[in-house]
Amino acid sequence: AAWVMEGAALLWVGARQGRKLPIAAGLGLQLVAGLLFFDHALLSTSGTVISIDADDWPVLNAYCIGGAMIAIAGFVSAHITTQARSVWPRLFQAATPLLLAWATVWWVGNGLAEIDAWLARADQGAAALAFLAASGLLASGLAGRLNWPVLHWPGLLAIPGMALGLIMVMDANVNPAAGWGGPAWVLAAVSSWWALRRAEGSAALTRWLPHAHTASLWLLWLA
């Protein structure tokens, strides 16, 4: 995970100085380090997503902190390539969406792995929904603050979160509103509405906003 942060720092230095070698090294280091982290920490033979030791704490453990570092480094790198696209136009134009997707997958996967490791099956659906809805709120807020329209894409995480939440509660044979499910669905509804409202006028999402509105309404109705 530390190598990933070093890779992001190399990318930043290369972009500031207009040097392609540290840029390529920074991107390559992040990719290799992320794959090594995944192979070493997240693959277990026990059938679970991650292996938790008896002395570990929820969230405050090596797996979660390391995964969060990889995700944050990916988001920072995506923002760097967006702001410095003129330094290496061809690479940065392709790298920005790939880095954003990489970072989002690590963020979501890391959170869901923690939920799988620490919570009972009956509570996992509500927790996953709340986590994705809160993540969407954070991304939507940062998209406006950083003037970074493409971040509106992960701002819509509440919508796939609704679908995942429904699948998980049906698999666990739990009422969607049971336990923390009710507040989680309220948070998801607010998150999706706010994200869709904030994304209006964004060229990157204009084509998909009507479908996102429809999907969110259907998912809420199904719940």
Side-chain angles (χ1 to χ4, degrees), residues 4-78:
V4 172
M5 303 301 288
E6 292 175 8
L10 268 175
L11 174 63
W12 177 77
V13 170
R16 287 292 296 266
Q17 298 179 352
R19 298 169 57 201
K20 293 185 177 180
L21 181 58
I23 290 173
L27 291 173
L29 184 58
Q30 288 188 67
L31 176 62
V32 172
L35 294 176
L36 287 174
F37 182 92
F38 181 82
D39 180 66
H40 179 73
L42 299 183
L43 291 181
S44 71
T45 57
S46 62
T48 59
V49 180
I50 59 176
S51 298
I52 295 296
D53 296 328
D55 296 332
D56 284 340
W57 287 38
V59 180
L60 299 178
N61 60 75
Y63 300 112
C64 186
I65 295 174
M69 288 170 65
I70 295 172
I72 292 170
F75 284 119
V76 170
S77 298

Side-chain angles (χ1 to χ4, degrees), residues 102-147:
W102 164 271
T104 303
V105 168
W106 270 101
W107 180 267
V108 172
N110 190 48
L112 295 180
E114 279 294 291
I115 290 170
D116 177 70
W118 291 100
L119 294 182
R121 185 183 175 197
D123 299 323
Q124 290 179 2
L129 177 59
F131 165 67
L132 291 174
S135 299
L137 284 172
L138 177 62
S140 293
L142 289 176
R145 182 174 292 274
L146 299 176
N147 191 25

